[in-house]
Amino acid sequence: MIESLEELEKVKKSCYSMVTKSSTLSAGAAVIPIPGLDLGSDVTLLLRLIPKINDKFGLTPEQIENLDTESKIMVMTAISNVGSKMAGKYITKKLVLSLLQKMGVKMVAKGTTKFVPFIGSAVAGGISFTSMKYIGNRHIEDCYQIALATLEEKRLEQEIVIEPETEQH
């Protein structure tokens, strides 16, 4: 579990770097004019990337399960409030495909543009890079908000415990 805002910022920065690397790989696969190669590589990249992001933020199902009951409730409440579809969940091919399906228009455009000589491949690569970057960064933001809410909740809890109760007459 992330213990400080400084640690949280480091994790966020590290995850952005992972997303950029995955986005670059996705763009590289999209440039190759083989039908279905880019979608397959995007699924594979996301099946690796999303769990790594969850892990860095302490939001894998296993990490959450190992928390004490109170912390677990805090994290699950934060996940629910943020509305994340991937934090604290097992990342399956079905989940990734549904995520990519929501990006459907971009994926169709990517698939058709790659067959236009020269420029089409570059456009497909650009669309692929942007789509992967969007999905990854969006997930980072969700995880960041969840971790931030959990940190804040813990801080407030500690303040309540530390402050002695005062009686008012």
Side-chain angles (χ1 to χ4, degrees):
M1 198 78 206
I2 295 173
E3 299 296 328
S4 70
L5 192 55
E6 295 79 26
E7 185 183 352
L8 182 58
E9 292 299 329
K10 284 180 186 174
V11 166
K12 185 178 181 183
K13 186 176 180 183
S14 166
C15 287
Y16 278 136
S17 175
M18 287 189 320
V19 168
T20 300
K21 287 176 188 168
S22 292
S23 299
T24 303
L25 290 171
S26 175
V31 170
I32 302 167
I34 298 173
L37 176 68
D38 50 347
L39 179 62
S41 71
D42 285 352
V43 169
T44 301
L45 287 168
L46 287 169
L47 281 170
R48 288 187 190 136
L49 178 65
I50 300 301
K52 282 182 184 176
I53 293 170
N54 284 345
D55 182 61
K56 290 222 178 240
F57 279 97
L59 296 172
T60 66
E62 296 84 6
Q63 289 167 320
I64 294 169
E65 190 57 41
N66 289 329
L67 295 173
D68 61 82
T69 303
E70 203 168 294
S71 296
K72 198 181 300 185
I73 290 168
M74 276 189 243
V75 170
M76 295 311 288
T77 301
I79 289 172
S80 176
N81 289 343
V82 168
S84 175
K85 303 277 187 267
M86 297 181 291
K89 301 209 173 43
Y90 290 101
I91 306 305
T92 63
K93 187 174 180 179
K94 183 178 178 181
L95 181 62
V96 168
L97 284 170
S98 75
L99 188 65
L100 289 170
Q101 210 169 20
K102 290 178 183 171
M103 302 285 293
V105 174
K106 289 182 182 177
M107 294 299 172
V108 169
K110 180 172 75 169
T112 55
T113 58
K114 83 164 48 175
F115 297 106
V116 176
F118 307 113
I119 295 173
S121 288
V123 170
I127 291 170
S128 193
F129 181 88
T130 304
S131 298
M132 182 67 64
K133 190 99 164 144
Y134 174 81
I135 291 169
N137 287 350
R138 178 76 192 266
H139 184 55
I140 291 169
E141 284 305 315
D142 284 353
C143 290
Y144 180 85
Q145 292 304 319
I146 292 162
L148 190 61
T150 305
L151 270 177
E152 183 63 17
E153 187 72 28
K154 280 187 176 185
R155 187 187 64 77
L156 289 173
E157 226 176 59
Q158 286 173 347
E159 280 181 13
I160 291 168
V161 171
I162 293 171
E163 289 179 17
E165 289 188 32
T166 56
E167 290 185 33
Q168 294 181 2
H169 293 270

